[in-house]
Amino acid sequence: MNPFSPLYFIKENKARCLLLMFMILLSWGVYLGGLYATNPRDNWNTTIHYFEKCAVISPAGTKAEDYKEYELFCEALQASEKVKILEMGQEGGLNWDTIMGFESGYSSMTFTTVEDFKTFCQYMNIHCDFKNLKSGSIVMSQRFAKNKNLQLGDSIDKDYAETIYDSYTLDALTEEDGYISYFINEKPVEHPPIVVLGDKINGSKLYDFLYEIQKEHNVSVHDLLKTNIDEQFNTFQMIYSFIILFLSFILAITINAAFVGMYQRRHFEFAVYRAIGISKRQIVGKLIGELLCMDFLALFMGGSIFFLCLYLFNNLVLYPDGKYLCYFHPISLWGLLLCNITILFPLIITRCRQMLQADICEY
């Protein structure tokens, strides 16, 4: 094997290189931290997606003129062929337990009839068994039910959670990805909020249509769910950014110190290279090749171990408890890359400078 091949040095110094690669491998901890930091926000993705396809409208206030404006707005919607309106019942909901130990959630939808819920499911492409549904039923995603340790036929009421305003029975489960729950309660509500489904329009076109009618009638269009959720979880991303910088700094110092010791032992080797006329470009190329090769092998081995452990952790620990960690998030990837660059860039600069100063006359 060519002595200037990056693999030659690694092969001849397996123990030392494996130790150094293990230290680089620890940067996968940053990736894991990113998955944890973004998980509470990711729990809302399905709900946010639904609210991008439909809209919830309610009176802008509690005065008589507010209710009148709301009624006129609803009449304008009913006169249009572009949308379909479903009345909602008394608002309620449940929180779920996050992997960080705190509760999140509460928001839910209450339908006054099973037929309205069927219409909503057809529109959102939600698969559900409707045969046991009735007034007083609650429908949950399978993940949500596991998270709350509920099974089909279980009853929940005000004693179960303060956010439950009546007695319900879990009568159906859906296969939705996320923590979703629906209530069916036929009890009438004065001036109930409505869900607007785009019969011929959806997404931004649906909201543009509603905003146009809203100009004439003062009502509340609940269109800030994503914005509100993002604001609530910005703190986690700020904490994660600090962790990235701190961990990258610590790893960069530690790994550089370890490499200094190893490359000091090679000072004579590079002094000989320079004495026999090996160019600085070739020496730098050898050093960069060795460091990049060790870095790549460390990241590859670390990634293989990491995703295997994450798969086992999800399936054996989190999924049975109604929780999960996703396998990828852009923030985690950027965190890993930033940490790796913070380690590698000064490592290349300092080691190249150190070895190019090697002089055979010193020996």
Side-chain angles (χ1 to χ4, degrees), residues 227-289:
T227 301
N228 293 335
I229 295 301
D230 288 340
E231 289 178 353
Q232 291 180 36
F233 293 108
N234 277 343
T235 303
F236 289 101
Q237 296 190 13
M238 292 175 61
I239 294 173
Y240 175 62
S241 299
F242 174 78
I243 292 173
I244 290 176
L245 295 175
F246 179 75
L247 186 57
S248 298
F249 181 72
I250 296 299
L251 285 175
I253 292 176
T254 305
I255 294 174
N256 266 276
F259 270 83
V260 166
M262 184 177 74
Y263 275 81
Q264 280 179 342
R265 299 170 180 267
R266 303 179 66 193
H267 203 267
F268 179 75
E269 173 191 344
F270 284 92
V272 172
Y273 289 153
R274 294 195 62 193
I276 63 177
I278 301 297
S279 68
K280 291 183 178 181
R281 177 177 295 181
Q282 288 177 290
I283 293 175
V284 169
K286 173 178 173 61
L287 287 167
I288 293 176

Side-chain angles (χ1 to χ4, degrees), residues 201-360:
I201 55 175
N202 55 41
S204 60
K205 293 182 179 179
L206 171 62
Y207 278 94
D208 289 341
F209 171 73
L210 296 174
Y211 296 147
E212 193 65 31
I213 302 177
Q214 188 186 28
K215 292 178 181 178
E216 302 177 7
H217 306 288
N218 182 31
V219 298
S220 293
V221 178
H222 301 275
D223 56 353
L224 298 177
L225 177 64
K226 184 178 184 300
T227 301
N228 293 335
I229 295 301
D230 288 340
E231 289 178 353
Q232 291 180 36
F233 293 108
N234 277 343
T235 303
F236 289 101
Q237 296 190 13
M238 292 175 61
I239 294 173
Y240 175 62
S241 299
F242 174 78
I243 292 173
I244 290 176
L245 295 175
F246 179 75
L247 186 57
S248 298
F249 181 72
I250 296 299
L251 285 175
I253 292 176
T254 305
I255 294 174
N256 266 276
F259 270 83
V260 166
M262 184 177 74
Y263 275 81
Q264 280 179 342
R265 299 170 180 267
R266 303 179 66 193
H267 203 267
F268 179 75
E269 173 191 344
F270 284 92
V272 172
Y273 289 153
R274 294 195 62 193
I276 63 177
I278 301 297
S279 68
K280 291 183 178 181
R281 177 177 295 181
Q282 288 177 290
I283 293 175
V284 169
K286 173 178 173 61
L287 287 167
I288 293 176
E290 290 174 358
L291 294 174
L292 289 179
C293 187
M294 281 190 281
D295 183 64
F296 174 79
L297 290 174
L299 291 179
F300 177 78
M301 290 188 297
S304 301
I305 296 170
F306 174 82
F307 285 111
L308 175 61
C309 292
L310 180 57
Y311 174 81
L312 294 174
F313 184 60
N314 267 331
N315 284 274
L316 299 179
V317 179
L318 295 183
Y319 288 163
D321 202 28
K323 301 174 184 177
Y324 71 99
L325 271 174
C326 62
Y327 292 92
F328 172 78
H329 196 284
I331 291 179
S332 293
L333 179 59
W334 283 112
L336 176 64
L337 293 176
L338 177 61
C339 183
N340 191 246
I341 291 172
T342 305
I343 294 170
L344 201 59
F345 186 74
L347 193 59
I348 290 175
I349 298 298
T350 55
R351 295 296 71 78
C352 287
R353 178 178 295 179
Q354 179 187 8
M355 293 301 103
L356 288 176
Q357 292 175 350
D359 189 347
I360 193 67

Side-chain angles (χ1 to χ4, degrees), residues 46-116:
T46 302
T47 303
I48 290 173
H49 173 66
Y50 286 169
F51 275 81
E52 289 173 347
K53 298 178 63 177
C54 70
V56 175
I57 315 292
S58 64
T62 58
K63 297 180 180 179
E65 54 266 29
D66 295 323
Y67 293 139
K68 182 62 178 178
E69 287 290 318
Y70 182 61
E71 291 172 1
L72 292 173
F73 182 89
C74 293
E75 289 175 3
L77 289 182
Q78 290 171 345
S80 172
E81 296 180 354
K82 294 183 179 181
V83 296
K84 183 175 294 185
I85 299 174
L86 303 178
E87 283 193 0
M88 296 181 68
Q90 187 179 39
E91 184 181 359
L94 286 171
N95 295 329
W96 59 83
D97 299 320
T98 67
I99 60 173
M100 290 187 175
F102 62 85
E103 290 188 341
S104 181
Y106 171 67
S107 179
S108 184
M109 285 186 172
T110 301
F111 296 91
T112 56
T113 67
V114 175
E115 289 302 317
D116 281 354

